Amino acid sequence: MSDYVQMWKELGMDLETHDALCQVLPTAFGDVYLSQENRPEGMGFWDFVVSEIHGIRPSELIEAQKKGQKVFGTFCVYVPDEVVIAANGIVTGLCAGSQFWVPGGEKVLPKSTCPLIKASVGARLDKTCPFFRIADMYVGETTCDGKKKAWEILGKDVPMYIMDMPQMKREQDVEKWADEIARFAKVVEDFTGVKITVESLNAAIKVINEKRKALARVFDCRKAEKLPISGKDALLMMQIAFFDDPVRCAQMCNKLADELEERIQNGVSVFPEGTKRILLTGTPLAIPNWKLHHIIETSGAAVVCEEMCTGTRYFENLVDETKTTLEDQYAALATRYMKTNCACFTPNTGRIDDILRMAKEYKVDGVIDVNLKFCCLYDTEGYTVEKALKDAGIPVLGIETDYTDSDAEQLKTRIGAFIEMLG
Ligand code: BJ8
Protein backbone atom coordinates (compact mmCIF):
# COMPACT_ATOMS: atom_id res chain seq x y z
CA MET A 1 0.00 0.00 0.00
CA SER A 2 3.08 2.20 -0.16
CA ASP A 3 1.73 4.11 -3.19
CA TYR A 4 -0.69 5.90 -0.94
CA VAL A 5 1.83 7.53 1.41
CA GLN A 6 1.33 10.99 -0.09
CA MET A 7 -2.44 10.67 0.28
CA TRP A 8 -2.10 9.61 3.93
CA LYS A 9 0.24 12.56 4.56
CA GLU A 10 -2.26 14.97 3.08
CA LEU A 11 -4.94 13.45 5.31
CA GLY A 12 -2.80 14.40 8.33
CA MET A 13 -2.29 10.80 9.41
CA ASP A 14 0.28 9.58 11.90
CA LEU A 15 2.34 7.63 9.36
CA GLU A 16 4.71 5.95 11.77
CA THR A 17 1.96 4.39 13.87
CA HIS A 18 -0.07 3.61 10.76
CA ASP A 19 2.93 1.73 9.31
CA ALA A 20 2.78 -0.67 12.26
CA LEU A 21 -0.81 -1.52 11.35
CA CYS A 22 0.03 -1.95 7.67
CA GLN A 23 2.71 -4.44 8.64
CA VAL A 24 0.53 -6.76 10.73
CA LEU A 25 -2.61 -6.80 8.60
CA PRO A 26 -1.29 -8.82 5.61
CA THR A 27 0.04 -11.58 7.91
CA ALA A 28 -3.20 -11.73 9.87
CA PHE A 29 -5.21 -11.86 6.65
CA GLY A 30 -2.93 -14.52 5.17
CA ASP A 31 -3.22 -16.72 8.26
CA VAL A 32 -6.97 -16.46 8.52
CA TYR A 33 -8.09 -16.21 4.90
CA LEU A 34 -5.51 -17.34 2.39
CA SER A 35 -4.93 -20.58 4.32
CA GLN A 36 -8.46 -21.75 3.35
CA GLU A 37 -8.83 -24.27 0.53
CA ASN A 38 -11.15 -24.27 -2.45
CA ARG A 39 -12.40 -20.71 -1.92
CA PRO A 40 -14.86 -19.30 -4.47
CA GLU A 41 -13.03 -17.42 -7.22
CA GLY A 42 -15.31 -14.45 -6.62
CA MET A 43 -13.58 -13.85 -3.28
CA GLY A 44 -10.61 -12.53 -5.27
CA PHE A 45 -12.38 -9.14 -5.33
CA TRP A 46 -12.56 -8.92 -1.53
CA ASP A 47 -8.99 -10.20 -1.13
CA PHE A 48 -7.90 -7.37 -3.39
CA VAL A 49 -9.91 -4.79 -1.44
CA VAL A 50 -8.30 -5.94 1.82
CA SER A 51 -4.83 -5.84 0.30
CA GLU A 52 -5.46 -2.16 -0.51
CA ILE A 53 -7.83 -1.44 2.36
CA HIS A 54 -6.41 1.94 3.35
CA GLY A 55 -5.67 2.94 -0.21
CA ILE A 56 -8.09 2.12 -2.96
CA ARG A 57 -11.46 3.11 -1.48
CA PRO A 58 -10.05 6.14 0.39
CA SER A 59 -8.58 7.45 -2.88
CA GLU A 60 -11.98 7.00 -4.57
CA LEU A 61 -13.62 8.96 -1.77
CA ILE A 62 -11.08 11.77 -2.07
CA GLU A 63 -11.64 11.95 -5.83
CA ALA A 64 -15.38 12.21 -5.21
CA GLN A 65 -14.80 14.98 -2.66
CA LYS A 66 -12.77 16.90 -5.24
CA LYS A 67 -15.83 16.77 -7.48
CA GLY A 68 -17.94 18.25 -4.69
CA GLN A 69 -19.45 15.14 -3.06
CA LYS A 70 -19.58 14.89 0.75
CA VAL A 71 -18.66 11.76 2.71
CA PHE A 72 -20.71 10.77 5.77
CA GLY A 73 -19.23 8.34 8.30
CA THR A 74 -21.73 6.14 10.16
CA PHE A 75 -21.63 3.68 13.05
CA CYS A 76 -24.97 1.92 13.02
CA VAL A 77 -27.28 0.06 10.66
CA TYR A 78 -30.22 2.28 11.66
CA VAL A 79 -28.75 5.32 9.88
CA PRO A 80 -30.50 5.41 6.49
CA ASP A 81 -27.89 5.45 3.71
CA GLU A 82 -30.66 6.24 1.23
CA VAL A 83 -31.02 9.81 2.49
CA VAL A 84 -27.32 10.55 2.04
CA ILE A 85 -27.19 9.00 -1.42
CA ALA A 86 -30.30 10.94 -2.50
CA ALA A 87 -28.34 14.15 -1.79
CA ASN A 88 -25.39 12.94 -3.89
CA GLY A 89 -23.46 12.06 -0.71
CA ILE A 90 -21.43 8.94 0.04
CA VAL A 91 -21.67 6.76 3.13
CA THR A 92 -18.78 4.94 4.70
CA GLY A 93 -19.02 2.73 7.77
CA LEU A 94 -16.68 3.72 10.59
CA CYS A 95 -17.03 0.92 13.16
CA ALA A 96 -13.54 -0.26 14.03
CA GLY A 97 -12.74 -3.89 14.76
CA SER A 98 -9.07 -4.01 15.73
CA GLN A 99 -7.30 -4.00 19.08
CA PHE A 100 -4.74 -1.75 17.39
CA TRP A 101 -7.01 1.27 17.96
CA VAL A 102 -8.28 0.40 21.46
CA PRO A 103 -5.47 2.03 23.53
CA GLY A 104 -6.13 5.33 21.69
CA GLY A 105 -9.76 5.13 22.75
CA GLU A 106 -8.80 4.31 26.32
CA LYS A 107 -6.96 7.63 26.57
CA VAL A 108 -10.32 9.38 26.69
CA LEU A 109 -12.87 6.67 27.54
CA PRO A 110 -13.22 4.38 30.56
CA LYS A 111 -11.53 1.01 30.06
CA SER A 112 -14.90 -0.55 30.80
CA THR A 113 -16.26 0.68 27.44
CA CYS A 114 -16.97 -1.81 24.67
CA PRO A 115 -13.99 -2.35 22.32
CA LEU A 116 -15.99 -1.30 19.26
CA ILE A 117 -16.46 2.18 20.70
CA LYS A 118 -12.91 2.44 22.07
CA ALA A 119 -11.41 1.37 18.74
CA SER A 120 -13.61 3.77 16.76
CA VAL A 121 -12.63 6.73 18.94
CA GLY A 122 -8.97 5.64 18.93
CA ALA A 123 -8.89 5.36 15.14
CA ARG A 124 -10.03 8.97 14.86
CA LEU A 125 -7.98 10.56 17.63
CA ASP A 126 -4.77 8.64 16.84
CA LYS A 127 -5.06 9.59 13.14
CA THR A 128 -4.35 6.05 11.98
CA CYS A 129 -7.30 5.31 9.70
CA PRO A 130 -7.89 7.19 6.42
CA PHE A 131 -11.67 6.62 6.50
CA PHE A 132 -11.90 8.47 9.82
CA ARG A 133 -9.87 11.35 8.32
CA ILE A 134 -11.85 11.55 5.08
CA ALA A 135 -15.42 11.64 6.39
CA ASP A 136 -16.72 15.23 6.24
CA MET A 137 -19.42 14.55 8.79
CA TYR A 138 -19.98 11.77 11.32
CA VAL A 139 -23.49 10.53 11.99
CA GLY A 140 -24.05 9.04 15.43
CA GLU A 141 -27.21 7.69 17.04
CA THR A 142 -28.62 7.34 20.53
CA THR A 143 -28.43 3.55 20.67
CA CYS A 144 -26.25 2.61 23.64
CA ASP A 145 -24.91 4.79 26.46
CA GLY A 146 -21.27 4.23 25.50
CA LYS A 147 -21.86 5.54 22.00
CA LYS A 148 -23.87 8.54 23.22
CA LYS A 149 -20.99 9.72 25.37
CA ALA A 150 -18.38 8.89 22.71
CA TRP A 151 -20.18 11.22 20.26
CA GLU A 152 -19.58 14.11 22.65
CA ILE A 153 -15.85 13.45 22.50
CA LEU A 154 -15.71 12.85 18.74
CA GLY A 155 -17.93 15.89 18.17
CA LYS A 156 -15.15 18.14 19.45
CA ASP A 157 -12.88 16.90 16.67
CA VAL A 158 -15.19 16.53 13.67
CA PRO A 159 -18.63 17.79 12.54
CA MET A 160 -21.12 15.38 14.10
CA TYR A 161 -24.85 14.89 13.78
CA ILE A 162 -26.70 12.57 16.13
CA MET A 163 -29.95 10.84 15.23
CA ASP A 164 -32.33 10.41 18.13
CA MET A 165 -33.36 6.75 18.09
CA PRO A 166 -36.61 5.56 19.63
CA GLN A 167 -36.20 3.00 22.39
CA MET A 168 -39.45 1.16 21.67
CA LYS A 169 -41.33 0.09 18.55
CA ARG A 170 -44.86 1.31 19.11
CA GLU A 171 -46.68 3.07 16.28
CA GLN A 172 -45.74 6.49 17.70
CA ASP A 173 -42.08 5.39 17.82
CA VAL A 174 -42.06 4.48 14.13
CA GLU A 175 -43.65 7.88 13.40
CA LYS A 176 -41.00 9.53 15.55
CA TRP A 177 -38.31 7.77 13.56
CA ALA A 178 -39.85 8.98 10.30
CA ASP A 179 -39.73 12.56 11.66
CA GLU A 180 -36.13 12.05 12.69
CA ILE A 181 -35.24 10.77 9.21
CA ALA A 182 -36.90 13.87 7.71
CA ARG A 183 -34.83 16.08 10.07
CA PHE A 184 -31.67 14.19 9.09
CA ALA A 185 -32.55 14.73 5.41
CA LYS A 186 -32.66 18.50 6.05
CA VAL A 187 -29.22 18.38 7.71
CA VAL A 188 -27.83 16.35 4.79
CA GLU A 189 -29.33 18.79 2.27
CA ASP A 190 -27.78 21.78 4.06
CA PHE A 191 -24.40 20.05 4.31
CA THR A 192 -24.26 18.86 0.71
CA GLY A 193 -26.10 21.81 -0.82
CA VAL A 194 -28.23 19.31 -2.77
CA LYS A 195 -32.01 19.19 -2.49
CA ILE A 196 -33.51 15.72 -2.02
CA THR A 197 -36.38 15.01 -4.40
CA VAL A 198 -38.90 12.18 -4.64
CA GLU A 199 -37.00 10.95 -7.70
CA SER A 200 -33.53 11.09 -6.15
CA LEU A 201 -34.73 9.39 -2.96
CA ASN A 202 -36.53 6.72 -4.93
CA ALA A 203 -33.40 6.04 -6.97
CA ALA A 204 -31.35 5.79 -3.75
CA ILE A 205 -33.90 3.43 -2.18
CA LYS A 206 -33.60 1.19 -5.24
CA VAL A 207 -29.79 1.20 -5.09
CA ILE A 208 -29.74 0.12 -1.45
CA ASN A 209 -32.52 -2.42 -1.95
CA GLU A 210 -30.47 -3.98 -4.78
CA LYS A 211 -27.48 -4.19 -2.48
CA ARG A 212 -29.62 -5.85 0.19
CA LYS A 213 -30.98 -8.38 -2.31
CA ALA A 214 -27.48 -9.25 -3.51
CA LEU A 215 -26.19 -9.80 0.04
CA ALA A 216 -29.27 -11.91 0.78
CA ARG A 217 -28.56 -14.09 -2.29
CA VAL A 218 -25.14 -14.98 -0.90
CA PHE A 219 -26.63 -15.70 2.52
CA ASP A 220 -29.31 -17.90 0.91
CA CYS A 221 -26.52 -20.06 -0.52
CA ARG A 222 -25.34 -20.69 3.03
CA LYS A 223 -28.61 -22.51 3.70
CA ALA A 224 -27.55 -25.36 1.38
CA GLU A 225 -26.61 -28.76 2.85
CA LYS A 226 -23.26 -28.55 1.07
CA LEU A 227 -21.75 -25.21 1.97
CA PRO A 228 -20.27 -23.45 -1.07
CA ILE A 229 -18.57 -20.71 0.99
CA SER A 230 -16.99 -20.48 4.42
CA GLY A 231 -18.38 -18.29 7.18
CA LYS A 232 -15.13 -16.36 7.16
CA ASP A 233 -15.51 -15.41 3.52
CA ALA A 234 -19.16 -14.43 3.94
CA LEU A 235 -18.15 -12.28 6.91
CA LEU A 236 -15.50 -10.51 4.86
CA MET A 237 -18.04 -9.72 2.16
CA MET A 238 -20.36 -8.25 4.80
CA GLN A 239 -17.64 -6.20 6.48
CA ILE A 240 -16.53 -4.61 3.20
CA ALA A 241 -20.16 -3.89 2.25
CA PHE A 242 -20.11 -1.07 4.82
CA PHE A 243 -17.30 0.72 2.94
CA ASP A 244 -17.79 -0.04 -0.69
CA ASP A 245 -19.73 1.78 -3.37
CA PRO A 246 -23.24 0.25 -3.07
CA VAL A 247 -23.69 -0.38 -6.81
CA ARG A 248 -20.35 -2.17 -7.12
CA CYS A 249 -21.06 -4.05 -3.89
CA ALA A 250 -24.31 -5.40 -5.36
CA GLN A 251 -22.55 -6.34 -8.62
CA MET A 252 -19.77 -8.23 -6.86
CA CYS A 253 -22.15 -9.99 -4.45
CA ASN A 254 -24.41 -11.04 -7.34
CA LYS A 255 -21.38 -12.38 -9.20
CA LEU A 256 -20.34 -14.32 -6.11
CA ALA A 257 -23.91 -15.61 -5.67
CA ASP A 258 -23.91 -16.87 -9.31
CA GLU A 259 -20.78 -18.87 -8.56
CA LEU A 260 -22.13 -20.19 -5.26
CA GLU A 261 -25.41 -21.27 -6.84
CA GLU A 262 -23.43 -23.16 -9.47
CA ARG A 263 -21.35 -24.77 -6.75
CA ILE A 264 -24.52 -25.89 -4.98
CA GLN A 265 -25.81 -27.45 -8.21
CA ASN A 266 -22.52 -29.29 -8.64
CA GLY A 267 -22.39 -30.37 -4.99
CA VAL A 268 -19.18 -28.43 -4.27
CA SER A 269 -18.58 -27.81 -0.58
CA VAL A 270 -15.76 -26.09 1.29
CA PHE A 271 -16.34 -28.29 4.35
CA PRO A 272 -16.31 -32.07 4.76
CA GLU A 273 -19.68 -33.79 5.03
CA GLY A 274 -21.11 -33.77 8.53
CA THR A 275 -19.44 -30.50 9.57
CA LYS A 276 -21.49 -28.95 12.37
CA ARG A 277 -23.35 -25.79 11.43
CA ILE A 278 -23.19 -22.79 13.75
CA LEU A 279 -25.35 -19.66 13.87
CA LEU A 280 -23.61 -16.69 15.47
CA THR A 281 -25.76 -14.08 17.17
CA GLY A 282 -24.93 -10.95 19.13
CA THR A 283 -22.79 -7.84 18.82
CA PRO A 284 -21.31 -6.80 15.45
CA LEU A 285 -17.96 -8.05 14.12
CA ALA A 286 -16.38 -4.98 12.52
CA ILE A 287 -13.44 -5.41 10.18
CA PRO A 288 -10.81 -6.87 10.85
CA ASN A 289 -12.41 -8.85 13.68
CA TRP A 290 -12.23 -12.41 12.31
CA LYS A 291 -11.28 -14.06 15.59
CA LEU A 292 -14.41 -16.09 16.34
CA HIS A 293 -15.02 -17.29 12.80
CA HIS A 294 -11.42 -18.44 12.62
CA ILE A 295 -11.62 -20.31 15.90
CA ILE A 296 -14.93 -21.97 15.00
CA GLU A 297 -13.88 -22.93 11.48
CA THR A 298 -10.54 -24.35 12.61
CA SER A 299 -12.29 -26.35 15.34
CA GLY A 300 -14.33 -28.56 13.02
CA ALA A 301 -17.49 -26.48 12.53
CA ALA A 302 -18.78 -23.94 10.00
CA VAL A 303 -20.46 -20.59 10.60
CA VAL A 304 -23.55 -20.61 8.38
CA CYS A 305 -25.20 -17.37 9.44
CA GLU A 306 -24.64 -14.23 11.53
CA GLU A 307 -27.69 -12.74 13.23
CA MET A 308 -25.73 -9.55 13.69
CA CYS A 309 -25.43 -6.06 12.23
CA THR A 310 -22.51 -7.46 10.24
CA GLY A 311 -24.94 -10.10 9.01
CA THR A 312 -28.68 -10.46 8.50
CA ARG A 313 -29.66 -7.27 10.35
CA TYR A 314 -27.90 -5.28 7.63
CA PHE A 315 -29.86 -6.58 4.65
CA GLU A 316 -33.12 -8.20 5.77
CA ASN A 317 -36.30 -6.28 4.83
CA LEU A 318 -36.57 -3.96 1.85
CA VAL A 319 -37.86 -0.38 1.67
CA ASP A 320 -41.15 0.10 -0.17
CA GLU A 321 -40.25 1.58 -3.58
CA THR A 322 -43.75 2.71 -4.55
CA LYS A 323 -44.12 5.91 -2.50
CA THR A 324 -44.64 9.19 -4.36
CA THR A 325 -44.12 11.91 -1.75
CA LEU A 326 -41.10 12.60 0.45
CA GLU A 327 -43.25 12.27 3.55
CA ASP A 328 -44.39 8.79 2.53
CA GLN A 329 -40.85 7.82 1.56
CA TYR A 330 -39.53 8.84 4.99
CA ALA A 331 -42.34 6.79 6.55
CA ALA A 332 -41.40 3.81 4.34
CA LEU A 333 -37.77 4.14 5.40
CA ALA A 334 -38.79 4.33 9.07
CA THR A 335 -40.96 1.22 8.70
CA ARG A 336 -38.11 -0.78 7.19
CA TYR A 337 -35.44 0.38 9.64
CA MET A 338 -37.66 -0.24 12.64
CA LYS A 339 -37.91 -3.90 11.59
CA THR A 340 -34.23 -4.32 12.53
CA ASN A 341 -33.95 -5.87 15.96
CA CYS A 342 -31.13 -4.43 18.06
CA ALA A 343 -30.85 -5.02 21.80
CA CYS A 344 -31.12 -1.25 22.34
CA PHE A 345 -34.91 -1.64 21.99
CA THR A 346 -37.30 -2.78 24.66
CA PRO A 347 -38.93 -5.17 24.29
CA ASN A 348 -36.89 -6.83 21.57
CA THR A 349 -38.80 -10.05 21.06
CA GLY A 350 -38.39 -9.75 17.28
CA ARG A 351 -34.75 -10.72 17.68
CA ILE A 352 -35.69 -13.96 19.42
CA ASP A 353 -38.12 -14.75 16.59
CA ASP A 354 -35.37 -14.00 14.06
CA ILE A 355 -32.86 -16.27 15.78
CA LEU A 356 -35.31 -19.18 16.02
CA ARG A 357 -36.35 -18.70 12.38
CA MET A 358 -32.74 -18.53 11.18
CA ALA A 359 -31.78 -21.58 13.20
CA LYS A 360 -34.32 -23.48 11.08
CA GLU A 361 -33.63 -21.80 7.75
CA TYR A 362 -29.87 -22.34 7.98
CA LYS A 363 -30.32 -25.84 9.50
CA VAL A 364 -28.01 -25.09 12.40
CA ASP A 365 -26.73 -27.61 14.92
CA GLY A 366 -25.95 -25.00 17.55
CA VAL A 367 -25.89 -21.29 18.30
CA ILE A 368 -23.06 -19.22 19.74
CA ASP A 369 -24.26 -16.04 21.43
CA VAL A 370 -21.33 -13.64 21.35
CA ASN A 371 -21.03 -10.49 23.37
CA LEU A 372 -18.37 -7.83 23.09
CA LYS A 373 -17.03 -7.18 26.57
CA PHE A 374 -18.82 -4.31 28.34
CA CYS A 375 -21.80 -4.30 25.98
CA CYS A 376 -24.43 -4.35 28.67
CA LEU A 377 -27.34 -4.45 26.19
CA TYR A 378 -26.45 -7.68 24.42
CA ASP A 379 -25.06 -9.19 27.60
CA THR A 380 -28.38 -8.70 29.39
CA GLU A 381 -30.42 -9.84 26.39
CA GLY A 382 -28.25 -12.98 26.31
CA TYR A 383 -30.33 -14.40 29.16
CA THR A 384 -33.54 -14.25 27.10
CA VAL A 385 -31.84 -15.41 23.90
CA GLU A 386 -30.23 -18.42 25.52
CA LYS A 387 -33.39 -19.38 27.41
CA ALA A 388 -35.47 -19.25 24.19
CA LEU A 389 -32.94 -21.45 22.40
CA LYS A 390 -32.80 -23.98 25.23
CA ASP A 391 -36.61 -24.09 25.32
CA ALA A 392 -36.57 -24.81 21.59
CA GLY A 393 -34.07 -27.63 22.13
CA ILE A 394 -31.26 -25.83 20.27
CA PRO A 395 -27.81 -26.12 21.90
CA VAL A 396 -26.37 -22.71 22.75
CA LEU A 397 -23.08 -21.40 24.05
CA GLY A 398 -22.75 -17.88 25.43
CA ILE A 399 -19.36 -16.22 25.21
CA GLU A 400 -17.92 -12.82 25.94
CA THR A 401 -14.79 -11.58 24.25
CA ASP A 402 -12.93 -8.47 23.11
CA TYR A 403 -10.46 -7.60 20.36
CA THR A 404 -7.36 -9.03 22.07
CA ASP A 405 -6.01 -12.52 21.50
CA SER A 406 -5.51 -13.09 25.21
CA ASP A 407 -8.59 -15.33 25.48
CA ALA A 408 -8.02 -17.21 22.20
CA GLU A 409 -6.83 -20.43 23.86
CA GLN A 410 -9.67 -20.42 26.36
CA LEU A 411 -12.18 -19.78 23.57
CA LYS A 412 -10.72 -22.62 21.50
CA THR A 413 -11.22 -24.99 24.42
CA ARG A 414 -14.79 -23.88 25.12
CA ILE A 415 -15.86 -23.75 21.48
CA GLY A 416 -14.11 -27.06 20.74
CA ALA A 417 -15.97 -28.73 23.62
CA PHE A 418 -19.28 -27.22 22.42
CA ILE A 419 -18.78 -28.53 18.88
CA GLU A 420 -17.84 -31.95 20.21
CA MET A 421 -20.97 -31.96 22.32
CA LEU A 422 -23.03 -31.27 19.16
CA GLY A 423 -21.64 -34.44 17.63
S1 BJ8 B 1 -28.10 -1.71 15.53
S2 BJ8 B 1 -25.72 -3.54 17.52
S3 BJ8 B 1 -24.75 -1.22 14.96
S4 BJ8 B 1 -26.22 -0.09 18.03
S5 BJ8 B 1 -21.53 -3.54 20.89
S6 BJ8 B 1 -21.41 -0.02 20.48
S7 BJ8 B 1 -24.50 -1.63 21.29
S8 BJ8 B 1 -21.85 -1.31 23.63
S9 BJ8 B 1 -22.84 -1.70 17.95
FE1 BJ8 B 1 -24.77 -1.57 17.23
FE2 BJ8 B 1 -26.51 -0.20 15.79
FE3 BJ8 B 1 -27.32 -1.96 17.63
FE4 BJ8 B 1 -26.19 -2.81 15.43
FE5 BJ8 B 1 -22.93 -0.21 22.04
FE6 BJ8 B 1 -22.99 -2.80 22.39
FE7 BJ8 B 1 -20.72 -1.66 21.78
FE8 BJ8 B 1 -22.69 -1.79 20.01
Side-chain angles (χ1 to χ4, degrees):
M1 288 196 283
S2 53
D3 292 354
Y4 302 107
V5 172
Q6 188 54 31
M7 176 181 82
W8 295 331
K9 256 191 210 159
E10 286 165 16
L11 286 172
M13 288 174 58
D14 173 347
L15 292 187
E16 214 175 297
T17 316
H18 182 246
D19 268 359
L21 179 62
C22 291
Q23 272 160 24
V24 292
L25 197 63
T27 321
F29 187 73
D31 291 349
V32 175
Y33 276 91
L34 306 181
S35 57
Q36 300 179 98
E37 279 171 23
N38 196 19
R39 297 176 72 210
E41 269 178 37
M43 286 310 297
F45 167 72
W46 285 276
D47 291 351
F48 169 68
V49 173
V50 173
S51 72
E52 303 267 315
I53 190 111
H54 280 183
I56 193 151
R57 183 66 179 148
S59 55
E60 280 182 2
L61 295 177
I62 291 168
E63 276 312 304
Q65 282 173 322
K66 282 182 190 156
K67 289 181 192 141
Q69 284 186 277
K70 296 282 185 205
V71 178
F72 293 74
T74 62
F75 300 84
C76 179
V77 299
Y78 282 101
V79 175
D81 292 359
E82 292 90 339
V83 170
V84 173
I85 293 168
N88 197 29
I90 303 176
V91 182
T92 185
L94 287 183
C95 289
S98 168
Q99 178 61 24
F100 184 82
W101 293 301
V102 168
E106 286 178 344
K107 285 183 205 154
V108 293
L109 293 164
K111 282 203 165 46
S112 57
T113 305
C114 109
L116 190 148
I117 299 173
K118 287 189 288 195
S120 301
V121 171
R124 168 73 200 185
L125 299 185
D126 280 354
K127 306 182 170 81
T128 46
C129 176
F131 292 97
F132 281 81
R133 307 299 305 162
I134 291 169
D136 297 293
M137 178 185 268
Y138 286 13
V139 186
E141 12 57 48
T142 54
T143 43
C144 69
D145 290 351
K147 276 178 162 181
K148 280 189 272 193
K149 292 292 116 181
W151 307 148
E152 293 170 18
I153 295 169
L154 285 173
K156 293 203 168 70
D157 201 45
V158 63
M160 175 115 219
Y161 180 76
I162 299 162
M163 296 190 77
D164 185 14
M165 293 271 306
Q167 309 282 293
M168 298 176 78
K169 290 184 179 175
R170 299 160 303 179
E171 220 178 297
Q172 66 261 42
D173 298 310
V174 182
E175 281 166 20
K176 181 189 156 189
W177 189 234
D179 289 347
E180 187 62 20
I181 292 175
R183 251 188 305 276
F184 176 53
K186 182 82 190 64
V187 170
V188 172
E189 283 180 335
D190 290 347
F191 198 69
T192 56
V194 177
K195 195 103 194 96
I196 296 173
T197 63
V198 172
E199 291 71 33
S200 69
L201 187 52
N202 204 30
I205 287 172
K206 284 190 175 136
V207 163
I208 300 300
N209 273 349
E210 289 311 308
K211 170 170 154 175
R212 291 188 182 112
K213 286 185 213 164
L215 290 164
R217 266 188 78 197
V218 173
F219 266 59
D220 277 345
C221 293
R222 302 170 76 191
K223 295 174 183 168
E225 293 285 350
K226 294 201 171 180
L227 284 166
I229 184 168
S230 67
K232 277 194 261 195
D233 279 336
L235 175 67
L236 186 64
M237 172 198 74
M238 280 305 313
Q239 291 173 330
I240 302 284
F242 286 80
F243 299 87
D244 203 2
D245 170 75
V247 174
R248 179 173 51 210
C249 174
Q251 275 166 1
M252 299 319 292
C253 293
N254 276 323
K255 202 169 147 207
L256 177 64
D258 289 342
E259 185 184 351
L260 299 185
E261 286 162 7
E262 202 180 308
R263 279 183 160 210
I264 293 169
Q265 264 183 4
N266 297 332
V268 177
S269 175
V270 289
F271 293 103
E273 222 176 307
T275 299
K276 295 296 166 197
R277 303 166 68 97
I278 303 290
L279 165 74
L280 272 188
T281 180
T283 45
L285 300 172
I287 196 164
N289 184 2
W290 306 310
K291 178 166 125 180
L292 273 179
H293 280 63
H294 189 53
I295 292 176
I296 294 167
E297 297 198 332
T298 50
S299 301
V303 180
V304 294
C305 179
E306 297 81 13
E307 188 283 314
M308 295 176 157
C309 291
T310 43
T312 53
R313 280 183 230 140
Y314 189 51
F315 62 76
E316 281 205 331
N317 306 307
L318 301 177
V319 180
D320 188 342
E321 297 177 7
T322 63
K323 303 297 174 193
T324 52
T325 64
L326 283 172
E327 200 188 339
D328 286 351
Q329 287 172 311
Y330 295 142
L333 285 166
T335 303
R336 184 268 160 193
Y337 280 90
M338 281 296 119
K339 284 183 189 155
T340 303
N341 296 311
C342 174
C344 60
F345 282 88
T346 186
N348 191 32
T349 48
R351 178 163 167 239
I352 309 294
D353 299 340
D354 286 346
I355 296 169
L356 294 176
R357 167 176 57 85
M358 287 171 202
K360 264 197 203 137
E361 282 178 6
Y362 291 83
K363 306 174 193 76
V364 311
D365 296 293
V367 176
I368 297 183
D369 178 24
V370 49
N371 190 55
L372 273 178
K373 226 175 232 172
F374 305 120
C375 177
C376 176
L377 289 168
Y378 280 85
D379 197 10
T380 309
E381 198 161 279
Y383 168 78
T384 318
V385 167
E386 289 166 35
K387 184 172 180 315
L389 284 162
K390 279 179 198 151
D391 289 350
I394 301 166
V396 55
L397 172 73
I399 56 172
E400 187 166 70
T401 185
D402 56 17
Y403 289 172
T404 67
D405 274 330
S406 60
D407 60 353
E409 285 309 314
Q410 194 201 6
L411 285 175
K412 272 183 209 162
T413 311
R414 289 189 62 207
I415 289 171
F418 179 66
I419 294 167
E420 217 176 287
M421 185 270 289
L422 296 176

